[in-house]
Amino acid sequence: MRMTISDGGLSRWGSDARTQIPAARKALLRILATRLEGHALDLSKGGSAPGDYPIPVVSGKFRGAFGIRVSDRSAAVFNESNYARAIHEGYQPYGNPNARPIPARPYFSDAFDKLDLDEAHNTWEQQFINTNGFTTKAPRR
């Protein structure tokens, strides 16, 4: 048995791949970012004591400040509230001897630990590959 690949076939396959690979990568990044944001949001649901999960809700602005940005090569999950860093890294008050420190609750790090890469990949396969977002056809001869 012998298979011959011509430069014409490679050119056609290459032009298809140039459009399909970035779209496939962006779809997977979006799924991963969405899952990570979801886990961080779960950790931020209110109702517990300070310093523990879930993070107590005072005004709802913290939960409302979560978001994602996805580009062709990267994804960012963020929280734009003024106190997001203080919650994530903890806070040691200064100037007030009666103020108590706020312990760190690294919600992004903990959310990342909950990320199931296999589940995200399976979702990507079903949403993208199996719905003609990406074709698995061999190049034409």
Side-chain angles (χ1 to χ4, degrees), residues 3-128:
M3 181 175 187
T4 305
I5 300 173
S6 69
D7 62 344
L10 282 176
S11 295
R12 280 191 297 275
W13 180 81
S15 65
D16 289 345
R18 266 193 296 279
T19 58
Q20 293 171 343
I21 290 172
R25 181 177 48 232
K26 190 171 184 176
L28 182 57
L29 286 169
R30 180 171 305 284
I31 289 168
L32 289 168
T34 303
R35 296 293 191 276
L36 183 62
E37 181 190 33
H39 292 313
L41 280 165
D42 286 345
L43 292 172
S44 72
K45 289 179 182 171
S48 72
D52 197 8
Y53 288 118
I55 298 168
V57 172
V58 176
S59 66
K61 290 181 182 178
F62 176 71
R63 282 183 51 88
F66 280 99
I68 63 171
R69 284 189 194 102
V70 180
S71 69
D72 289 340
R73 296 192 174 264
S74 66
V77 180
F78 56 88
N79 186 305
E80 292 183 332
S81 69
N82 293 337
Y83 42 89
R85 183 175 299 259
I87 292 172
H88 193 273
E89 297 175 1
Y91 179 74
Q92 180 65 44
Y94 53 91
N96 181 351
N98 298 320
R100 65 178 183 184
I102 299 169
R105 283 174 280 192
Y107 50 90
F108 277 133
S109 303
D110 293 342
F112 190 79
D113 290 342
K114 293 181 174 216
L115 201 56
D116 184 347
L117 296 178
D118 291 332
E119 183 275 331
H121 185 267
N122 290 339
T123 300
W124 172 77
E125 281 182 333
Q126 291 188 355
Q127 287 181 359
F128 197 74

